[in-house]
Amino acid sequence: MSNASDLSSAALQWQALDWHQRELDCLRLDLIDPLISGNKSFKLALNLKAAKAQGFERIVSFGGAYSNHIHALAAAGQTAGIKTTGVIRGQEHYAQNPCLSDAINMGMELHFVDRKTYAKRYQADYWQQLSELFGPSYIVPEGGANHLGAKGCEQIAQAINNRYQTCENGVEVVLASGTGTTAAGIASALDARHSLHIVNVLPQNEDFAVQLHRQIEALNPEAKARFEISNAHHLGSYAKFDAQTAALIDFAQQHWQLPLEPIYTAKAFARVVSLLARGGTRPVVFIHTGGLQGLRGCQAKLDTLRGKAEYQTHLARYQNLTINPDQAAAMDAEEGVLCPI
Ligand SMILES: *Cc1c(COP(=O)(O)O)cnc(C)c1O
């Protein structure tokens, strides 16, 4: 793919994952482009178009030091020929980490701010200040979380609708959710017979579901696909992961050559495993939302976790799941892995 604002579903790749009698399919958004990763390319596409159409020469957005969104925006800006500035929560020396070094190399300017300043990122008067600092700028919220961001993700749903056009009972779609923008776009365009499992990678407040409904309604008042929000896999906070996460990452790599990272995709894949273990007949579609650039910041911790006894236990449990899913379902129930959503 060479143009971030011209994504076609022809570029989308699928990977069938073998799983006993059940159809398990992975939509590999991570393979769309080596730099404009996964779901971020869909959230940015229409924003880039709008920025250009409105005559802006610069896009400003916000993120942490390992932000997939910032990384993707730097790449998309470079491709589309539009300047980018990343307002980064943290200190100057973070610029040396792999994620932000890439962003700089792709032409992004970085502006480091303390927590207090970063907290103003949704305020119009702060946006005004930033436009005075950097020149007239199109502002994209943190994570690409705006209406156009969600709208761009409708294309992901269309790809699923097309692939499963003749699947009468529909499929169970699973994806990782941070801001919920991608999930909202998909839910708004997914055919009614499918269901969507939205896996929160961080604890959300009670307002999350309300906001999600509102966003879906704004995109498509006729939206009918059912969705469920799962809070069972975030481990208590954003970017938190444990020996079980490490085991799942290694298992998916060994068993399917499927690369996962611990912040988003492994947490969502844990939901895929619990769905499979529970049994059922509808095909399961896992949306790989990308984020693999973030692995570089996690390797040391993953290596430490691989040395723990629990890691071996969980790895064996995942391997057993592929041999005997019924037995594994019972195990999961005992361990309380299967959490109601
Ligand atoms: C940003 C990100 C998400 C979350 O997307 P939202 O639209 O904010 O919910 C999921 N997966 C990966 C890999 C991401 O980088």
Side-chain angles (χ1 to χ4, degrees):
M1 188 203 75
S2 58
N3 188 343
S5 55
D6 183 28
L7 280 159
S8 73
S9 42
L12 298 181
Q13 296 186 47
W14 295 81
Q15 179 183 2
L17 308 176
D18 66 283
W19 186 266
H20 301 279
Q21 307 305 317
R22 190 92 177 259
E23 196 173 336
L24 173 59
D25 213 355
C26 179
L27 177 53
R28 296 284 305 268
L29 300 184
D30 59 309
L31 295 178
I32 288 176
D33 184 283
L35 292 172
I36 313 174
S37 167
N39 63 334
K40 299 302 186 285
S41 55
F42 293 89
K43 293 203 276 187
L44 287 170
L46 299 179
N47 278 297
L48 281 165
K49 261 192 187 167
K52 282 200 146 179
Q54 292 166 32
F56 286 100
E57 289 175 5
R58 181 180 296 277
I59 297 180
V60 174
S61 194
F62 310 86
Y66 290 93
S67 167
N68 292 331
H69 164 66
I70 288 293
H71 194 270
L73 175 62
Q78 185 180 43
T79 307
I82 188 160
K83 293 177 189 144
T84 55
T85 299
V87 177
I88 310 297
R89 182 187 59 232
Q91 298 157 15
E92 296 278 345
H93 69 88
Y94 291 181
Q96 289 151 24
N97 82 25
C99 171
L100 295 182
S101 305
D102 280 357
I104 293 169
N105 290 334
M106 292 185 284
M108 179 179 260
E109 286 173 31
L110 299 180
H111 179 70
F112 290 91
V113 298
D114 59 22
R115 283 182 175 275
K116 215 171 142 194
T117 311
Y118 194 77
K120 297 195 289 189
R121 65 193 179 281
Y122 299 110
Q123 297 173 12
D125 57 340
Y126 182 54
W127 293 3
Q128 185 59 39
Q129 277 175 32
L130 291 173
S131 280
E132 281 161 21
L133 253 164
F134 307 123
S137 301
Y138 182 94
I139 309 271
V140 173
E142 180 184 65
N146 62 8
H147 181 76
L148 288 180
K151 189 150 188 60
C153 295
E154 289 178 347
Q155 242 189 309
I156 303 170
Q158 280 145 14
I160 296 168
N161 293 342
N162 288 342
R163 186 166 172 92
Y164 288 97
Q165 220 158 16
T166 57
C167 178
E168 264 175 50
N169 297 325
V171 300
E172 311 215 37
V173 181
V174 182
L175 90 160
S177 177
T179 63
T181 311
T182 307
I186 293 172
S188 77
L190 203 59
D191 284 344
R193 64 187 183 285
H194 303 311
S195 1
L196 184 62
H197 300 270
I198 300 168
V199 185
N200 278 334
V201 303
L202 70 165
Q204 297 279 6
N205 60 27
E206 285 166 16
D207 218 28
F208 180 77
V210 177
Q211 295 293 344
L212 202 63
H213 275 287
R214 207 171 282 157
Q215 253 185 305
I216 295 165
E217 170 88 14
L219 289 161
N220 177 14
E222 310 282 301
K224 289 201 179 67
R226 281 159 298 165
F227 67 85
E228 296 174 303
I229 299 168
S230 168
N231 288 306
H233 302 285
H234 57 59
L235 305 176
S237 76
Y238 179 75
K240 192 161 179 192
F241 54 96
D242 61 12
Q244 184 169 357
T245 321
L248 184 51
I249 289 171
D250 291 349
F251 170 73
Q253 183 62 47
Q254 289 158 14
H255 196 68
W256 294 300
Q257 292 78 50
L258 179 69
L260 301 174
E261 47 65 57
I263 315 292
Y264 292 97
T265 46
K267 286 180 173 178
F269 203 81
R271 178 72 185 117
V272 170
V273 170
S274 73
L275 271 175
L276 292 169
R278 192 181 281 181
T281 54
R282 302 166 88 200
V284 175
V285 174
F286 173 63
I287 303 178
H288 192 310
T289 43
L292 296 173
Q293 71 85 21
L295 258 180
R296 295 174 298 182
C298 304
Q299 289 300 2
K301 184 170 171 198
L302 284 170
D303 278 342
T304 307
L305 292 168
R306 286 181 181 116
K308 296 199 163 199
E310 305 98 272
Y311 168 84
Q312 294 301 340
T313 311
H314 286 296
L315 193 61
R317 194 182 129 257
Y318 287 124
Q319 283 160 349
N320 184 48
L321 200 64
T322 57
I323 300 161
N324 185 347
D326 298 334
Q327 193 183 329
M331 268 168 59
D332 271 350
E334 272 168 34
E335 289 180 20
V337 174
L338 292 178
C339 293
I341 45 179

